[in-house]
Amino acid sequence: MEVAAVTRYLLGRVGQAALVLWIAFTASYVLLQLLPGDSILIKFQNPELGLSPQQIAEIRAYYGAGDPPLLDYLNTLLGFLRGSFGYSIDTGTPVVERLGEALPETAKLASAAFVLAVLIAVLIAFAAGYSRTSWIRNALLSVPSVFVSVPAFWLGILLIQVFSFRLKLVPVIGGGPVQQLVLPVLTLAVPISAPIAQVLARSMDQVSTQAFVPVVAAKGASRWWILWRHVARNAVLPTLTVAGLTLGELIAGSVVTETVFGRGGIGRLTEQAVNAQDTPVMLAVVVLAATVFVLVNLVVDVLFPVLDPRLKAAS
């Protein structure tokens, strides 16, 4: 009976994930179709290209621009289900190739930023939990609010001004692979760390009021040991959910960061697609971001009941 319940739960979560992806695809497709102007005509009706009306009509047919809206929607949806995202209007190359070229850079940036964000959040939460001085604790707990309110583009420009132009510690142009990652990773990690730190600190405060904490302290355990071994261990599960949400937002956050630092990733690809009204690329990026977001949260939703001992005991 328990296996059947788990199976139903998993199937339900997978069904919800598929529904969210379909809604994200449909909403993005409709909104992109409502954009003013015709991206194909904007690209190919330039007199300098010397294309005849017949050639332009053939290009429109190649991209499916002349199909009825419902037929074009179904063809696009079936193409996405097969893993075919069509062709870029801007370059004429398959969208899959453009995503494949940009994705490794964004994955490198996002993974490094996520690790740094978690480290920053843990340091803030543990420093606030360990501090015995109220004003220091309140100051530490207010840091995430400052982090989340800082615009990414402003932070990136500020870091470039300070560390590249003033201190000349990190070159903004050139440099090794690690040097090129330092400032973009910091720019992306600072706002992402804020919700993780807030939830972790609040959860640690709630766990610290539980009855077992004075019992452990009476046995001679140090304050640091209690925080690390007992409080954090029970407070980490709600933080995992928030961390999953922030991980899904990293692709969206990389748009501004990669544009500021001139990195060739998904963010820069999105910026170029918006400028060129390259709707196939924009649609593919939106679906990619939604897929990452849904998959991460699906994994967290599946692991949460498995890891939480309270849910195990309740079942």
Side-chain angles (χ1 to χ4, degrees):
M1 186 67 179
E2 185 176 352
V3 175
V6 172
T7 303
R8 286 197 301 270
Y9 173 78
L10 293 177
L11 291 177
R13 296 301 301 153
V14 171
Q16 292 176 8
L19 179 62
V20 170
L21 288 177
W22 174 73
I23 293 174
F25 171 84
T26 302
S28 303
Y29 177 87
V30 172
L31 291 175
L32 289 174
Q33 294 301 315
L34 293 177
L35 288 176
D38 190 318
S39 57
I40 298 178
L41 291 180
I42 294 174
K43 173 68 177 178
F44 296 102
Q45 213 172 26
N46 189 340
E48 296 180 358
L49 296 178
L51 297 177
S52 64
Q54 182 179 358
Q55 290 174 320
I56 294 177
E58 292 175 355
I59 293 174
R60 287 177 55 82
Y62 176 77
Y63 283 103
D67 296 337
L70 181 58
L71 179 60
D72 182 61
Y73 167 79
L74 293 177
N75 290 333
T76 306
L77 178 59
L78 291 176
F80 270 65
L81 293 177
R82 294 193 303 264
S84 175
F85 299 159
Y87 292 86
S88 168
I89 297 175
D90 186 31
T91 62
T93 57
V95 176
V96 174
E97 291 185 5
R98 301 201 67 186
L99 291 178
E101 295 172 356
L103 189 57
E105 288 296 325
T106 299
K108 188 191 308 180
L109 174 64
S111 57
F114 180 74
V115 172
L116 180 59
V118 171
L119 291 177
I120 294 174
V122 170
L123 287 176
I124 293 174
F126 270 81
Y130 189 77
S131 176
R132 297 179 181 272
T133 306
S134 60
W135 71 269
I136 295 179
R137 172 181 167 80
N138 292 334
L140 289 170
L141 291 178
S142 64
V143 170
S145 299
V146 176
F147 282 177
V148 78
S149 62
V150 174
F153 72 90
W154 180 85
L155 179 59
I157 295 174
L158 178 65
L159 292 176
I160 292 174
Q161 288 289 338
V162 173
F163 292 100
S164 295
F165 297 155
R166 297 285 184 179
L167 302 178
K168 300 186 183 302
L169 295 177
V170 182
V172 69
I173 299 176
V178 176
Q179 289 179 321
Q180 293 177 358
L181 273 176
V182 172
L183 297 184
V185 166
L186 189 58
T187 302
L188 192 56
V190 166
I192 293 297
S193 66
I196 303 176
Q198 288 175 331
V199 172
L200 180 59
R202 188 180 303 112
S203 184
M204 289 177 63
D205 286 343
Q206 294 175 352
V207 175
S208 298
T209 61
Q210 300 298 317
F212 72 87
V213 175
V215 174
V216 176
K219 293 180 179 180
S222 65
R223 183 176 178 83
W224 176 257
W225 177 260
I226 294 174
L227 281 175
W228 176 256
R229 180 64 178 170
H230 298 279
V231 175
R233 189 175 181 181
N234 290 275
V236 72
L237 288 174
T239 311
L240 287 177
T241 303
V242 177
L245 292 172
T246 57
L247 181 61
E249 296 174 357
L250 283 174
I251 291 183
S254 67
V255 174
V256 175
T257 303
E258 290 179 352
T259 301
V260 170
F261 290 94
R263 295 183 58 84
I266 295 294
R268 189 63 182 273
L269 177 63
T270 305
E271 183 256 339
Q272 294 172 351
V274 170
N275 290 335
Q277 290 194 6
D278 197 344
T279 52
V281 174
M282 287 190 284
L283 181 60
V285 170
V286 171
V287 173
L288 175 63
T291 302
V292 173
F293 186 84
V294 167
L295 288 179
V296 170
N297 286 276
L298 180 62
V299 171
V300 172
D301 289 342
V302 170
L303 290 181
F304 192 90
V306 176
L307 296 176
D308 195 342
R310 293 169 295 182
L311 293 180
K312 287 184 178 180
S315 60

